[in-house]
Amino acid sequence: DLLLAMLENTTEPRNRAVLACSMNTGLRAGEIQRLKVGDVDLDTLTLRVWVSKSQIEDDMPITSDLAVELNIWMAAYARSIERPLLPSDRLLPASTGPRYRWRTTRDGIKERYQVPSTYVAHRPVSKLHRIAQDGLRSVGLPTLHEGIHTLRRAIARHYYEALAAERGHDGAIRVVMTLLHHTNVSTTEHYLGITGERRTRDVSLRGRSFLVPSGSATVISISGRGA
């Protein structure tokens, strides 16, 4: 709910696309910055990604939510730069920011006017952590030292919990490992703060009797020895 609220609270089209991309792919900030228009195939719902850590290319699936967001964003992007998008254009470009210029009126008077910000198609968006922090701030969450990695960890945990209910820990953690492009399961477990042993502990103990009556089972004494 908080992730969706962050998205809805983000009114700048490019920034909303950045958040949508992060929330639906789990990509690192640098991987998001490298994306180009030509990497998006909305017909096959495929996103070509260069994975920086492992130095491999991955054709990732585009979710239905991300497909909608990208359709809206790319249409707005093309209107803003007043031409069709090219495959070589950055999917998430830098912007110029509002600028001031001078012009001369018919009366010969010079006046300053503001030129709206525009997108720079050949340069990638920068400072993605600030976009993430603005989203976090909009829903009342802390922003200190937070960034795209915060969203990456949040959606990975959400994905894990959804899968664990049907696949168990081992099956879920391996699928999440591929989402995060980790090379081994232990890295993913450490990243999410989850291990199979800890999960088994939690399931076996939460809400259950621990100090069972003597005679019905082995009782763990305070000293740590079986009674």
Side-chain angles (χ1 to χ4, degrees):
D1 291 343
L2 285 173
L3 290 172
L4 290 173
M6 286 174 56
L7 204 58
E8 293 305 319
N9 291 341
T10 303
T11 56
E12 206 286 325
R14 194 269 323 269
N15 292 357
R16 177 174 175 129
V18 167
L19 295 182
C21 189
S22 175
M23 292 175 187
N24 284 275
T25 65
L27 293 175
R28 301 174 179 90
E31 294 161 354
I32 292 174
Q33 288 176 304
R34 288 189 187 91
L35 292 174
K36 294 184 178 180
V37 171
D39 295 326
V40 178
D41 188 337
L42 292 175
D43 292 328
T44 63
L45 295 179
T46 302
L47 181 67
R48 187 184 303 113
V49 175
W50 177 253
V51 183
S52 54
K53 285 290 183 71
S54 51
Q55 296 291 294
I56 61 170
E57 192 173 83
D58 185 13
D59 288 338
M60 295 189 67
I62 294 176
T63 65
S64 59
D65 294 330
L66 182 56
V68 171
E69 294 290 342
L70 288 178
N71 261 313
I72 295 172
W73 156 240
M74 289 194 292
Y77 183 8
R79 288 194 300 271
S80 174
I81 63 175
E82 299 181 334
R83 65 165 174 80
L85 300 182
L86 303 175
S88 59
D89 289 337
R90 296 288 180 174
L91 178 62
L92 299 160
S95 60
T96 60
R99 295 167 295 171
Y100 288 95
R101 291 181 179 174
W102 290 92
R103 63 188 171 194
T104 303
T105 67
R106 291 182 178 180
D107 300 329
I109 300 173
K110 286 189 174 182
E111 64 178 11
R112 194 173 71 158
Y113 68 101
Q114 188 180 53
V115 179
S117 63
T118 57
Y119 297 119
V120 185
H122 66 278
R123 284 173 43 205
V125 61
S126 62
K127 299 178 181 177
L128 268 65
H129 66 285
R130 291 189 179 178
I131 296 175
Q133 288 172 354
D134 286 343
L136 291 167
R137 190 178 297 109
S138 75
V139 293
L141 293 177
T143 62
L144 185 63
H145 305 309
E146 306 296 345
I148 292 295
H149 62 276
T150 310
L151 307 184
R152 177 174 156 86
R153 183 174 286 108
I155 68 103
R157 183 59 184 256
H158 173 70
Y159 192 33
Y160 168 81
E161 295 293 348
L163 290 173
E166 60 182 64
R167 296 178 178 232
H169 169 77
D170 290 343
I173 205 72
R174 290 184 180 280
V175 176
V176 176
M177 179 184 77
T178 66
L179 174 74
L180 297 176
H181 296 109
H182 288 160
T183 55
N184 58 69
V185 168
S186 61
T187 301
T188 306
E189 289 181 330
H190 178 74
Y191 189 79
L192 298 183
I194 297 171
T195 65
E197 291 76 13
R198 287 176 62 182
R199 189 167 180 85
T200 299
R201 176 204 66 185
D202 295 346
V203 171
S204 65
L205 290 179
R206 184 168 285 115
R208 300 189 182 189
S209 175
F210 187 50
L211 299 174
V212 294
S214 179
S216 60
T218 300
V219 177
I220 306 301
S221 68
I222 296 175
S223 66
R225 295 188 297 271

